[in-house]
């Protein structure tokens, strides 16, 4: 199975934008669905959204209209574009696949901190 490495996190002001990347060590072409999760400080990890192999996306209500997930199969990379950031978006962000979810396997994630 592919290994996933998240990057692109950092410090942003409320209202700002960041784009996170999830680079896979191999082809993601055959992976039907790619997820983004996040874990705010002191809270459990939760789903942000996902993108399917056909490009269909879905998001949790708290990020709808602000976040956008896309995938570039040629680059084996999945992206999370985050706009109009809010302090409550502060979290460690992870990408994952069904295979990794089923095994409880997570990468190192990338930290996003949003200041007001």
């Amino acid at each position: 199975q592919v290994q996933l490495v998240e990057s692109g996190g950092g410090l942003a002001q409320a209202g700002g934008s960041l784009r996170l990347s999830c680079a896979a060590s191999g082809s993601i072409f055959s992976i039907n669905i790619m997820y983004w999760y996040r874990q705010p400080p002191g809270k459990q990890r939760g789903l942000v959204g996902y993108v399917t192999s056909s490009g269909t996306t879905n998001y949790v209500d708290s990020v709808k209209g602000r976040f956008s997930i896309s995938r570039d199969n040629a680059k084996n990379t999945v992206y999370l574009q985050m706009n109009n950031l809010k302090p409550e978006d502060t979290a460690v962000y992870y990408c994952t696949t069904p295979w990794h979810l089923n095994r409880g396997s997570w990468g190192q994630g990338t930290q996003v901190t949003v200041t007001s």
Side-chain angles (χ1 to χ4, degrees):
Q1 284 296 322
V2 298
Q3 293 186 336
L4 304 170
V5 177
E6 303 90 347
S7 64
L11 187 64
Q13 289 189 330
S17 298
L18 285 173
R19 188 175 82 153
L20 307 184
S21 298
C22 170
S25 61
S27 175
I28 63 171
F29 180 81
S30 62
I31 301 176
N32 290 331
I33 188 166
M34 299 287 299
Y35 301 95
W36 280 98
Y37 275 73
R38 67 184 179 184
Q39 185 168 20
K43 296 183 179 180
Q44 289 189 337
R45 190 155 27 207
L47 179 68
V48 174
Y50 61 79
V51 58
T52 69
S53 55
S54 63
T56 299
T57 56
N58 201 5
Y59 307 91
V60 296
D61 287 345
S62 59
V63 307
K64 280 182 181 176
R66 301 188 298 120
F67 289 14
S68 176
I69 299 173
S70 60
R71 62 192 289 170
D72 186 336
N73 290 340
K75 295 183 178 179
N76 298 323
T77 301
V78 180
Y79 302 99
L80 176 63
Q81 177 67 44
M82 305 186 295
N83 299 325
N84 191 20
L85 284 162
K86 301 177 180 181
E88 51 264 43
D89 295 320
T90 294
V92 179
Y93 284 74
Y94 303 86
C95 65
T96 191
T97 70
W99 187 93
H100 291 86
L101 273 178
N102 289 338
R103 289 157 179 79
S105 175
W106 298 93
Q108 86 287 351
T110 186
Q111 174 71 50
V112 171
T113 302
V114 184
T115 60
S116 57

